[in-house]
Amino acid sequence: MSRKKIPSPNSKKYGVPLYSVGWVRFKDRDLSSDDNGEVSNSTQYYVVLAGGGGEGRSGIPNAVLISSFDSHTNFLSDLPVYKLETRSDLPYRTAVHPNDDGIVCSFPNSCRWYEIGEKGSEELYKLILKESDKLQPRLEDVGQQLSLAFNNEGSALAAGGQDGNLRVFEWPSMVIILDEASAHKSVKDLDFSPDGKYLVSLGNSGPAKVWDLTSKTTTASLLKENDEFFCFCRFSASNDTNQVLYIAAATGKGGSIVTWDTKTWKRIGSKTVVRDTISAFSVSPDGKFLACGTTQGDVFILNSASKQVQTVVRKAHLGFVTAFSFSHDSRALASVSLDSSARVTLIEEKKEAGELSLWVVFVILLAVVAYFMKNQGIQLGVTVLKIFKSL
């Protein structure tokens, strides 16, 4: 007799193939009053999803969805709290502004900006998306944009096109900072450095490129080695506040992570971390974690310093993982797939080896104290305790 699979509270299906995911924080109206009769506010987390069936008559809608997530119960809402259907236009990639006030979404021919608003009465408040013409005419009739990103301050927006055009704009004025018509054959991925001075981009072939946004020139070309195929690129602030660059690559042995020094732009390490091809990659805002999604639907969360796998969720999705997004506090990872599923995985920070070693020493010393107190008298046990306190 087969067992019926129990639905997971943190994994839901939303009826459309999903290509993009992001997080939004919003002040949620709490209708319960305090002692003074005032309504209090609390921060509510939402997951923004985008995808669909594309053009044609598949019967699968194209839509941008917003679902709520409760980190206390690890519960992702069964139904979206808001759904915006986009007719025949497939929303492929999204970028949530760092201020959580809007979303840039790429469609087959243009990009659109949706402001995140609030609508309702005292009985019911919900998030809504309102289309704005803020991106016109800069990102209108420009073809499919395969990658979108804001810098950490939210003062610049980058867009990488299927035609190889790389554009960077001031935000919200949309004044052009950089416009490279042939940056790559096709711009597959891009990311800003934490300080906003650099932008890394990569295409379907050739080296990854690092752009100096002050001089508006290429400052480095990062070459592949052996059978590497670059898939994704992400900057990060390491634990010692230095910036590092990670590139996820496919090799004959599986998926690997290549690390680059951002002062010399030299390769400083490479490690195979998964057996299958990496289909999604992200770095947590605090720089402590790397996330790799595979073509088999598995989710891997790694310690960024050691590149050791910390958490594995096998078959997190039935289809390959299409996109990742870490929450603002780096304690949750949202992932999506072509199988129409979205999942949120909570992250627990593991104890470092040094911390564990200290606890081992503590336990051993306690055992020694107990032994001497039993066999040699209390005074000697007290002496040992004094030795431990001096460590």
Side-chain angles (χ1 to χ4, degrees):
M1 183 176 180
S2 61
R3 294 183 179 179
K4 185 177 181 180
K5 186 177 179 181
I6 300 174
S8 175
N10 63 331
S11 180
K12 301 295 167 61
K13 286 200 171 185
Y14 292 102
V16 299
L18 297 171
Y19 296 94
S20 183
V21 62
W23 288 87
V24 171
R25 292 175 299 185
F26 206 81
K27 290 294 183 180
D28 197 32
R29 288 288 295 265
D30 184 355
L31 297 181
S32 59
S33 302
D34 57 20
D35 294 338
N36 297 323
E38 296 182 357
V39 176
S40 59
N41 293 328
S42 60
T43 300
Q44 172 67 47
Y45 285 89
Y46 296 89
V47 179
V48 180
L49 313 165
E55 294 182 330
R57 299 180 180 179
S58 65
I60 301 174
N62 300 304
V64 179
L65 314 171
I66 300 178
S67 293
S68 63
F69 177 71
D70 187 338
S71 60
H72 299 292
T73 59
N74 194 20
F75 184 82
L76 187 63
S77 61
D78 296 317
L79 298 173
V81 297
Y82 184 78
K83 181 177 181 179
L84 174 69
E85 293 197 6
T86 57
R87 299 181 182 179
S88 62
D89 290 336
L90 172 67
Y92 182 63
R93 292 300 186 205
T94 59
V96 180
H97 192 272
N99 291 340
D100 299 315
D101 59 353
I103 305 164
V104 174
C105 187
S106 71
F107 293 92
N109 194 46
S110 301
C111 292
R112 300 174 197 164
W113 167 254
Y114 294 100
E115 295 178 353
I116 300 175
E118 188 181 35
K119 182 179 181 180
S121 61
E122 291 185 359
E123 288 75 25
L124 178 64
Y125 281 83
K126 67 177 183 179
L127 294 187
I128 62 171
L129 298 177
K130 297 178 290 185
E131 186 174 350
S132 167
D133 60 0
K134 184 177 290 187
L135 302 184
Q136 298 175 357
R138 298 297 192 193
L139 287 175
E140 188 175 16
D141 298 324
V142 293
Q144 180 72 66
Q145 301 301 294
L146 300 180
S147 186
L148 298 169
F150 284 103
N151 64 1
N152 285 349
E153 293 183 351
S155 59
L157 169 68
Q162 192 172 31
D163 60 358
N165 199 315
L166 175 64
R167 300 174 176 88
V168 183
F169 306 94
E170 292 181 2
W171 187 267
S173 68
M174 294 299 289
V175 172
I176 295 176
I177 298 175
L178 179 70
D179 189 355
E180 286 288 331
S182 301
H184 303 274
K185 289 184 178 180
S186 180
V187 183
K188 187 166 58 174
D189 198 23
L190 51 79
D191 193 41
F192 285 96
S193 61
D195 59 12
K197 294 180 179 179
Y198 299 104
L199 181 81
V200 62
S201 63
L202 55 84
N204 287 327
S205 61
K209 295 181 180 180
V210 180
W211 306 84
D212 185 322
L213 296 180
T214 302
S215 64
K216 303 178 182 180
T217 58
T218 305
T219 191
S221 291
L222 310 180
L223 302 177
K224 306 172 184 179
E225 288 187 358
N226 302 321
D227 62 345
E228 288 178 344
F229 179 81
F230 290 166
C231 303
F232 302 95
C233 51
R234 290 292 182 274
F235 277 103
S236 176
S238 62
N239 293 336
D240 58 2
T241 70
N242 290 327
Q243 295 180 164
V244 295
L245 172 62
Y246 300 107
I247 292 183
T251 69
K253 296 180 179 179
S256 67
I257 304 297
V258 185
T259 308
W260 306 80
D261 187 315
T262 57
K263 293 181 179 178
T264 62
W265 301 113
K266 292 183 178 180
R267 178 187 296 241
I268 56 177
S270 177
K271 182 177 182 180
T272 300
V273 293
V274 295
R275 293 181 179 179
D276 300 305
T277 300
I278 296 174
S279 59
F281 179 68
S282 189
V283 180
S284 63
D286 63 8
K288 294 182 178 180
F289 306 105
L290 309 178
C292 297
T294 74
T295 52
Q296 298 301 309
D298 301 331
V299 170
F300 293 81
I301 300 173
L302 296 80
N303 179 293
S304 64
S306 64
K307 308 297 184 298
Q308 294 294 320
V309 175
Q310 175 175 302
T311 302
V312 181
V313 184
R314 298 288 183 186
K315 298 299 179 183
H317 303 274
L318 297 180
F320 66 84
V321 183
T322 50
F324 274 140
S325 181
F326 278 95
S327 60
H328 303 72
D329 60 3
S330 303
R331 291 299 171 262
L333 175 71
S335 57
V336 294
S337 171
L338 287 181
D339 69 355
S340 304
S341 67
R343 179 189 177 92
V344 177
T345 303
L346 295 182
I347 300 170
E348 295 182 5
E349 191 167 356
K350 304 292 185 181
K351 294 287 186 181
E352 296 293 334
E355 297 179 67
L356 292 175
S357 299
L358 183 60
W359 278 107
V360 170
V361 172
F362 177 71
V363 171
I364 292 174
L365 285 175
L366 282 181
V368 172
V369 170
Y371 172 81
F372 279 112
M373 290 181 69
K374 180 179 179 181
N375 298 283
Q376 303 296 330
I378 294 177
Q379 184 59 44
L380 190 54
V382 171
T383 302
V384 175
L385 279 174
K386 289 180 179 179
I387 294 173
F388 176 73
K389 289 181 179 179
S390 67
L391 293 177

